[in-house]
Amino acid sequence: MSSNPRNMRRSLVAGVVTTAALVALAGCGGAPASDQSSAATFMTFETPAITPEFWDDSIAAALESVPGFEVERIVTPDADRNAYAKQLQASGQFPDLLASISPKDFIDADLLLPFEQEWLEANFLEPDANSIDGVTYQPPSNSQVLPMVFYNKVIFEEHDVDLPTTWDEFVAAVETFSAGAVTPIELAGLDPWSASMPVVALASADVLGSNPEWIQDRYDESVSFTDEEFVSAMQKQRDLIEAGAYSDSALSVDYATANTNFFDGKSAMYIMGSWLVGAFPADQAADFGAFPLPTDDGSVVVPLNVGGTMSVSSKAADAEKSMAFAKAWTLAPESMKTLIETDGAFPLFKNIAFEDFGATVTPLYDDAYAYVTEDTVKVSAFGWVTNDDALPPGVADKFYSLSQSLFSNADVEGQLAQLDADWDAAVAE
Amino acid sequence: MADRLTLTRRSPAVAPFARRSVGLALRARRPLGLAPLAWTAMALYAAFLIYPIVQGLFNSFTNASPLALSSAFVGLDNYVDLFTDRRLLSSLGFTLLVTVFVTVAANAIGLALALLLNRSTTNYRVMKTLIFIPQVLSGVIVAFIWRSILTQNGLLNSVLQNLGLIDAPVSWIGTPGLAALAVCVVVSWVTIAFATVVYTASLQSVPAELYEAARMDGAGVWSRFRNVTLPMIAPGTTISVVLCLITTFKLYDVIAVLTGGGPAESTKSTAFYLITVAFTDNRFGYGSAIAMLLLVLTAAAAFGLTALLRRREVNL
């Protein structure tokens, strides 16, 4: 830089002008243009079952009902949709439409629009199943049993094992398989969400099965994770680990590999959400069955997650059309047909009979769906539901990782005490 | 210079107004040089680095949430919480472990590779290019590659089983100890590439005459390396060590894909943890305090190490 004072002054002026221009540009970057009022951003996710084509086709179909409206799709980088939505919100880019988030995280900040009760009651069998404080931010269009115990009928027959109906029978089956050359229970242990399935099943069946209000009681601080009932439920997972229920490398197994292992007959059982039904190769599906995790006394408890897909931002540039699009997408039979076939979704529509979706399903789907339609004890899928029973922000993730930590840490009560502390901290926030 | 002389010669003879006009005209003709570019760079630096740091510092004294529009001042509460956060301490311990491992491994192996490849034939140039590839790949892609290698049915277990070295698959990323080692190895794999390039460039700047003189004095291979090579590449060593340290301290992408911080949060780096705190737990203010702590620790380690290595450069 020149030492000439005039040059320095001139440089300074140029610098100030440049800085001001950049700051002005940065400040103006997020402002929506007025001619984009009929467009919306839609935060979606992709899995092997929920493909980009599914989104593109279903969006295009729903847009036919909302003339003059456009949708730009955003894809979450990983399975944590809530965290990505929060990142977008923090950077002033909260999407107008959001797929399969947990609304509870967002309603305190008044970021979501409620669906009208009248519309919910007119279209869904369980209109209040996904409500939070009596208000629904995600239509209850379908349900999933989360999780179920899938089993390989051939392996059960080979080992002369009957379907277990009580916990003791389940443990006996595990011991039988463990003594043989087959992994008793497949576990997709690499990612916390998939590793969580056994503890979700245990907390749902044992804890919520005996006290369906347990989560609300925890919010009221009248129960805690270190209570006997919860410790006992989690101890069962530790006992399974010690009994050799899972392979030694279970925590190195990702979801896709676990599916392959199970389909290939390398393991006898697999605790997973009912979405797995859609992943079975059609020619193999008859060799597999599913049942809810058995309880001590043999009572059947079905952990259910009622949900939908669509949530609408209260800040949407065109809230009216965004809501219209969300409703059109939700009620489109084509969208649900794909979710039934590929994601094992169990529809809860009032005005569309199952046959009318035209979905091709396997007997395994029918068997699993029976647990939803039959008169069984249904409880919230612990840590997965998105209604009043949703856990405080961040607690579900810590609960999921408990399933992993129980592999290397036998102190069940100590870990649950930490979970209590995490819950209290999250609620305090 | 010519302009200035001209102005000086003419200035006594012209009226003040005319003098100013001449001055403006001359200024307009004078080239701006690199000043606008420099100021643009400074402005970008301020907008994208200084401003976020200041904003982060401000947030660290609040209870900001990624969801809430407003926040309240909470004084030093977030900083006090740092001292009692068991998960933070655990993440700091893991980050330190990875940083030390990667910095040592990358520089030792990077230097060894640079010494091996310090030739200018086509074969060696190709090998240098191949070794540099991991540095060019994004951390996410690197982690995906290694994840497919290290999972239960991955390449490593398949090879070891086929060679008869193991009976059952090893849980490379499913046990806390091995998962930590896996993260160290994968991050080292990337940083070795960078260190190799830095050391290769440094080695090429060492005059051949020095080696010749040392040889004539009877110096052996080790003596030449100890007394010629190491002192001459000392500036490169400083750069490589400090940049490896900084890169590893803020590690996020590789962990997010390779282990997701697991199993049971055993491979959560501090950067990964602060993202979780900010965007999963909604504690943006506390996350900012962790970010400030990470910034201070990284800066202290970088400055300390730089000073140490510079002193070493002088002593060598």
Side-chain angles (χ1 to χ4, degrees):
Chain A
M1 192 178 286
S2 168
S3 60
N4 185 325
R6 283 177 180 163
N7 281 355
M8 286 179 69
R9 228 177 7 250
R10 190 179 49 194
S11 298
L12 195 60
V13 170
V16 170
V17 169
T18 312
T19 307
L22 280 165
V23 169
L25 277 173
C28 294
S34 59
D35 62 353
Q36 291 179 335
S37 60
S38 61
T41 50
F42 183 12
M43 190 191 83
T44 62
F45 61 98
E46 292 170 4
T47 69
I50 309 294
T51 61
E53 292 74 27
F54 161 74
W55 289 114
D56 293 341
D57 294 347
S58 61
I59 289 170
L63 280 174
E64 289 176 11
S65 309
V66 193
F69 192 57
E70 292 175 14
V71 169
E72 182 194 349
R73 198 160 69 83
I74 303 166
V75 182
T76 58
D78 56 28
D80 196 343
R81 298 182 279 274
N82 271 30
Y84 187 57
K86 290 173 193 173
Q87 287 177 33
L88 293 173
Q89 160 66 8
S91 57
Q93 305 172 82
F94 194 63
D96 299 318
L97 298 150
L98 304 98
S100 301
I101 57 165
S102 179
K104 199 167 192 173
D105 277 14
F106 302 93
I107 55 175
D108 282 346
D110 197 23
L111 284 169
L112 299 179
L113 283 178
F115 286 83
E116 302 106 343
Q117 192 63 25
E118 201 175 302
W119 180 76
L120 295 168
E121 286 174 5
N123 289 288
F124 303 105
L125 293 170
E126 301 283 347
D128 298 320
N130 210 20
S131 69
I132 301 170
D133 293 331
V135 182
T136 298
Y137 301 90
Q138 197 175 67
S141 60
N142 66 82
S143 60
Q144 288 176 316
V145 181
L146 209 169
M148 315 184 78
V149 182
F150 291 89
Y151 70 101
N152 186 317
K153 292 176 181 173
V154 177
I155 295 177
F156 267 61
E157 279 173 21
E158 284 173 356
H159 290 77
D160 200 21
V161 174
D162 294 328
L163 270 194
T165 55
T166 65
W167 178 254
D168 286 343
E169 289 175 11
F170 183 77
V171 172
V174 165
E175 286 168 352
T176 302
F177 295 127
S178 187
V182 64
T183 303
I185 305 175
E186 188 64 44
L187 181 72
L190 183 54
D191 296 307
W193 72 265
S194 51
S196 75
M197 290 299 146
V199 292
V200 172
L202 287 163
S204 303
D206 283 13
V207 180
L208 298 184
S210 58
N211 175 14
E213 297 300 313
W214 194 93
I215 295 171
Q216 295 309 311
D217 289 347
R218 183 63 188 82
Y219 274 109
D220 295 339
E221 298 182 1
S222 57
V223 296
S224 73
F225 288 104
T226 49
D227 288 351
E228 171 59 26
E229 56 190 340
F230 212 100
V231 174
S232 171
M234 295 302 105
Q235 183 64 45
K236 284 182 175 178
Q237 166 70 348
R238 178 66 195 173
D239 293 344
L240 285 176
I241 295 165
E242 288 180 342
Y246 308 104
S247 85
D248 291 341
S249 55
L251 298 187
S252 284
V253 182
D254 59 21
Y255 177 61
T257 305
N259 290 358
T260 306
N261 286 346
F262 185 59
F263 299 155
D264 289 350
K266 292 180 180 169
S267 40
M269 294 180 281
Y270 186 17
I271 305 177
M272 186 48 65
S274 59
W275 55 72
L276 187 70
V277 171
F280 278 92
D283 58 338
Q284 287 181 266
D287 293 336
F288 295 89
F291 58 90
L293 186 73
T295 54
D296 289 334
D297 61 5
S299 57
V300 176
V301 178
V302 180
L304 209 60
N305 177 35
V306 174
T309 302
M310 282 288 184
S311 293
V312 182
S313 166
S314 60
K315 317 291 180 200
D318 190 337
E320 192 179 334
K321 284 187 175 174
S322 295
M323 180 57 83
F325 173 82
K327 289 177 178 175
W329 191 96
T330 302
L331 294 179
E334 296 81 10
S335 305
M336 186 53 65
K337 175 180 182 280
T338 307
L339 293 175
I340 291 168
E341 290 177 342
T342 65
D343 210 33
F346 305 130
L348 295 173
F349 286 85
K350 188 181 267 183
N351 305 317
I352 307 176
F354 185 83
E355 296 73 29
D356 295 339
F357 290 108
T360 305
V361 296
T362 60
L364 178 60
Y365 179 94
D366 293 330
D367 291 348
Y369 194 19
Y371 286 106
V372 179
T373 55
E374 286 172 1
D375 188 19
T376 51
V377 175
K378 298 178 181 71
V379 298
S380 294
F382 197 98
W384 281 79
V385 289
T386 55
N387 55 19
D388 282 320
D389 280 348
L391 307 187
V395 174
D397 288 337
K398 294 177 177 78
F399 174 65
Y400 297 166
S401 70
L402 183 68
S403 187
Q404 294 178 323
S405 60
L406 285 169
F407 272 76
S408 53
N409 186 347
D411 181 11
V412 176
E413 195 163 351
Q415 293 176 76
L416 290 174
Q418 179 61 46
L419 198 59
D420 269 323
D422 293 331
W423 177 295
D424 294 339
V427 170
E429 283 294 317
Chain B
M1 182 62 79
D3 285 346
R4 198 181 299 166
L5 286 174
T6 307
L7 184 63
T8 308
R9 258 202 318 271
R10 285 184 183 174
S11 56
V14 293
F17 176 77
R19 209 163 47 218
R20 207 165 72 202
S21 301
V22 170
L24 286 170
L26 288 173
R27 244 178 279 169
R29 281 208 308 274
R30 199 175 294 151
L32 286 171
L34 297 176
L37 289 177
W39 275 108
T40 304
M42 288 303 293
L44 290 170
Y45 187 80
F48 294 109
L49 195 82
I50 304 297
Y51 171 71
I53 289 174
V54 172
Q55 182 69 45
L57 182 63
F58 174 78
N59 284 338
S60 71
F61 295 105
T62 70
N63 63 354
S65 154
L67 299 171
L69 294 176
S70 60
S71 57
F73 182 72
V74 295
L76 291 171
D77 285 3
N78 288 329
Y79 287 94
V80 172
D81 286 350
L82 294 175
F83 294 98
T84 55
D85 187 343
R86 187 186 59 82
R87 287 191 170 90
L88 173 65
L89 292 176
S90 168
S91 76
L92 281 170
F94 175 70
T95 304
L96 193 64
L97 170 80
V98 178
T99 302
V100 171
F101 184 102
V102 169
T103 305
V104 171
N107 282 281
I109 299 172
L111 176 57
L113 286 172
L115 288 167
L116 286 171
L117 299 173
N118 190 25
R119 312 277 190 281
S120 55
T121 63
T122 305
N123 282 337
Y124 283 95
R125 277 201 295 271
V126 170
M127 281 190 272
K128 278 180 216 169
T129 306
L130 290 175
I131 282 177
F132 190 59
I133 284 175
Q135 181 66 32
V136 179
L137 296 176
S138 102
V140 171
I141 292 172
V142 166
F144 267 118
I145 292 170
W146 277 93
R147 183 172 156 129
S148 69
I149 292 171
L150 297 171
T151 51
Q152 184 198 45
N153 297 350
L155 183 68
L156 184 57
N157 275 332
S158 298
V159 169
L160 293 177
Q161 280 181 302
N162 287 332
L163 290 174
L165 296 174
I166 55 173
D167 295 327
V170 176
S171 190
W172 297 109
I173 46 180
T175 49
L178 285 176
L181 181 64
V183 170
C184 288
V185 169
V186 173
V187 180
S188 297
W189 188 67
V190 176
T191 42
I192 281 169
F194 168 76
T196 304
V197 170
V198 171
Y199 285 118
T200 303
S202 299
L203 286 171
Q204 285 170 355
S205 68
V206 181
E209 295 80 9
L210 290 180
Y211 290 114
E212 190 57 37
R215 228 178 255 116
M216 290 176 70
D217 286 344
V221 173
W222 170 249
S223 181
R224 288 201 299 276
F225 174 74
R226 170 71 185 84
N227 298 304
V228 178
T229 306
L230 275 185
M232 294 303 290
I233 64 167
T237 306
T238 303
I239 291 168
S240 178
V241 167
V242 172
L243 287 182
C244 282
L245 180 130
I246 292 171
T247 306
T248 317
F249 239 105
K250 56 189 176 67
L251 186 65
Y252 173 79
D253 50 0
V254 171
I255 288 173
V257 176
L258 185 67
T259 64
E265 304 185 342
S266 61
T267 60
K268 260 191 181 170
S269 66
T270 306
F272 191 97
Y273 177 64
L274 85 84
I275 295 287
T276 309
V277 165
F279 293 109
T280 302
D281 301 352
N282 294 349
R283 301 180 69 194
F284 204 76
Y286 182 53
S288 299
I290 297 174
M292 288 301 118
L293 173 70
L294 191 60
L295 178 68
V296 169
L297 289 177
T298 308
F303 283 126
L305 202 57
T306 304
L308 195 73
L309 292 170
R310 284 267 160 79
R311 199 178 309 144
R312 175 179 162 273
E313 286 174 28
V314 173
N315 293 336
L316 281 170

